Amino acid sequence: MKPTITTDLVRALIAEQFPQWTDLPVTPVPRQGWDNRTFRLGDQLSVRLPSAEGYVAAVEKENRWLPELAGHLPLPVPSPVAVGRPGAGYPYPWSVRQWLTGDTLEDAAAVDRLRLARDLGEFLTVLRQAPVAGPPGGRHSFFRGCHPSAYADGVEQALKELGDAVDVRACRAVWAEALDSSWESAPVWFHGDIAVGNLLVRDGRLAAVIDFGTCGVGDPACDLVIAWNTLEGDERAAFRDAVGLDRQTWQRARGWALWKALIMLAEPGAAPAWRHVVDQVLADPVGSS
């Protein structure tokens, strides 16, 4: 059962464990994630609380690794300022972090999207090169950083359910290419959830990257999915050039993008955007151009 996370609960936790911040106002952020609830604490801090037991390990992972990664990255990331313990009726560890200014990419206006694509590719390149040991991809990362074959059953089931609604033959060809290679180099850092809600924009440019709950070390192909589900045309090409990964990595990335789009499209009442993603994946291999 998920705990009820309210402003009053956050105030109680702060008063109990970090009384130096008791007088700071607490306000929920307008757009909440599913895994965690976030509240602004004064002007410079935020409070992040897992919404259920299954998300605790991800927050603990961020608390452990982000302080080490932060100094190696070209953009701010949400490193913890303090880590709280269960209390005030709330059963999980939680954290206080620096507030990172910006709007999520999905909400930002007047974005220089070509510049953002390049900056994001460069950020991921530097992340891959971070000289910090980390946890291998696996269940904690929902198998991001692993081979896309981890979700082969999901692809097959979605194709059966969708039937003639998609080009099954083309989808199978893309999926077969994804399965036909693997990451042969040393494991590298990946974010695991590069999505519009996890990219902060300020003054039209990428300003911060947040939500490292699915991060780890392994195959970075999973971080390229945004090429199809968000970027378009020249933006994709700029991202490809900046991220600097080989064609086989892009084949696996294409498989990751196809898997996600197919399983979402197979859901009842699926958003039309997922059909667009499938179309984009089938039409543009990105890394092969």
Side-chain angles (χ1 to χ4, degrees):
M1 181 177 179
K2 287 189 173 185
T4 301
I5 302 174
T6 64
T7 301
D8 286 342
L9 170 64
V10 175
R11 289 195 185 104
L13 287 167
I14 292 294
E16 175 187 276
Q17 300 180 35
F18 303 110
Q20 69 270 32
W21 295 321
T22 298
D23 294 336
L24 297 178
V26 176
T27 54
V29 300
R31 189 185 288 272
Q32 293 286 350
W34 179 259
D35 299 0
N36 300 276
R37 302 291 179 265
T38 304
F39 295 76
R40 192 163 185 175
L41 179 62
D43 292 330
Q44 299 182 357
L45 299 172
S46 65
V47 178
R48 183 170 168 85
L49 306 95
S51 62
E53 185 175 5
Y55 306 123
V56 171
V59 175
E60 290 180 333
K61 181 170 55 174
E62 289 182 310
N63 293 341
R64 166 66 181 86
W65 297 107
L66 285 183
E68 294 193 41
L69 284 172
H72 300 285
L73 299 177
L75 293 171
V77 296
S79 297
V81 174
V83 177
R85 62 184 184 277
Y90 178 75
Y92 312 129
W94 52 285
S95 59
V96 179
R97 305 180 180 207
Q98 289 288 346
W99 176 259
L100 298 178
T101 303
D103 297 316
T104 61
L105 178 56
E106 59 190 331
D107 294 330
V111 178
D112 183 343
R113 292 179 61 91
L114 198 61
R115 181 69 175 267
L116 182 138
R118 287 196 296 266
D119 288 349
L120 178 58
E122 291 168 2
F123 174 87
L124 293 174
T125 299
V126 176
L127 174 63
R128 294 199 312 271
Q129 297 168 350
V132 177
R139 191 171 299 279
H140 69 89
S141 64
F142 296 94
F143 299 101
R144 269 62 169 190
C146 301
H147 196 267
S149 58
Y151 288 110
D153 289 348
V155 170
E156 289 300 322
Q157 183 61 35
L159 288 174
K160 288 179 182 178
E161 293 177 7
L162 289 167
D164 294 338
V166 296
D167 186 337
V168 173
R169 187 173 182 177
C171 287
R172 288 192 188 282
V174 168
W175 185 243
E177 278 197 345
L179 300 188
D180 196 34
S181 70
S182 60
W183 181 251
E184 301 293 345
S185 301
V188 296
W189 275 97
F190 59 87
H191 178 281
D193 192 15
I194 294 295
V196 291
N198 295 331
L199 304 177
L200 298 187
V201 175
R202 186 171 64 251
D203 298 327
R205 293 190 56 184
L206 184 63
V209 179
I210 63 174
D211 198 350
F212 281 71
T214 53
C215 74
V217 295
D219 178 359
C222 58
D223 280 346
L224 308 183
V225 170
I226 195 169
W228 294 277
N229 65 22
T230 301
L231 302 178
E232 302 279 348
D234 290 345
E235 300 161 10
R236 286 185 194 146
F239 178 64
R240 176 200 64 211
D241 293 345
V243 87
L245 287 165
D246 63 21
R247 184 178 65 85
Q248 290 191 334
T249 301
W250 279 96
Q251 289 175 342
R252 295 189 303 281
R254 202 177 178 201
W256 277 108
L258 182 66
W259 159 71
K260 182 66 178 219
L262 288 176
I263 64 169
M264 296 304 294
L265 189 59
E267 291 288 327
W274 291 112
R275 182 172 297 282
H276 177 72
V277 175
V278 171
D279 291 342
Q280 295 301 301
V281 169
L282 296 183
D284 187 357
V286 183
S288 298
S289 57

